[in-house]
Amino acid sequence: LVSKLTTTWEDPDSNAKSDEAHVPAFQWNIEDIASEDKLTNTVSLTKSSAAAGIEDIILCNRHVDMAFHSSMGDLHDASKLAAKEGSMPLVLEEGVLSLTVGREASDDEEDGSEED
């Protein structure tokens, strides 16, 4: 999918607001965006005592801790396989991924700092 997309250099003398011949820098050129992936492999992740870590994300305007209870090596291996395939379904053993929903995110957190 990504290899079928092109990014052209935007003409610095072109004005997107007033130039009728303006061509945007990014163009979708995929003929069939709805075509299905050919998923030939599946990666299974199992729960490990050596957890890969926790990522703090904002989901639906709430702070969420996303904890990966699989080993970092297993996650890297899955990532490498998925990069070769383009897409790959993951089968997660119970407890491999946990989400802990926390406080509401506020507008003043844009700088990346958090206040409790």
Side-chain angles (χ1 to χ4, degrees), residues 20-42:
E20 290 183 15
H22 173 76
V23 177
F26 188 79
Q27 300 173 10
W28 291 96
N29 62 347
I30 298 176
E31 294 173 16
D32 186 7
I33 193 77
S35 65
E36 293 184 24
D37 290 332
K38 294 175 180 65
L39 304 174
T40 56
N41 290 321
T42 300

Side-chain angles (χ1 to χ4, degrees), residues 8-16 19 22-23 25:
T8 58
W9 289 103
E10 191 167 335
D11 182 359
D13 298 325
S14 177
N15 185 333
D19 186 357
H22 173 76
V23 177

Side-chain angles (χ1 to χ4, degrees), residues 52-101:
I54 297 174
E55 184 72 27
D56 179 44
I57 63 171
I58 304 287
L59 182 64
C60 297
N61 204 34
R62 304 291 292 194
H63 283 272
V64 176
D65 285 336
M66 193 165 61
F68 301 94
H69 303 288
S70 189
S71 72
M72 188 64 85
D74 287 348
L75 292 172
H76 281 270
D77 290 344
S79 177
K80 288 176 191 173
L81 288 170
K84 289 179 185 175
E85 288 284 313
S87 292
M88 185 172 293
L90 295 173
V91 176
L92 303 178
E93 180 181 277
E94 186 174 334
V96 168
L97 178 67
S98 64
L99 303 176
T100 304
V101 179

Side-chain angles (χ1 to χ4, degrees), residues 103 108-115:
R103 64 184 174 83
D108 61 349
E109 296 181 52
E110 290 181 11
D111 63 0
S113 64
E114 293 184 27
E115 297 176 14

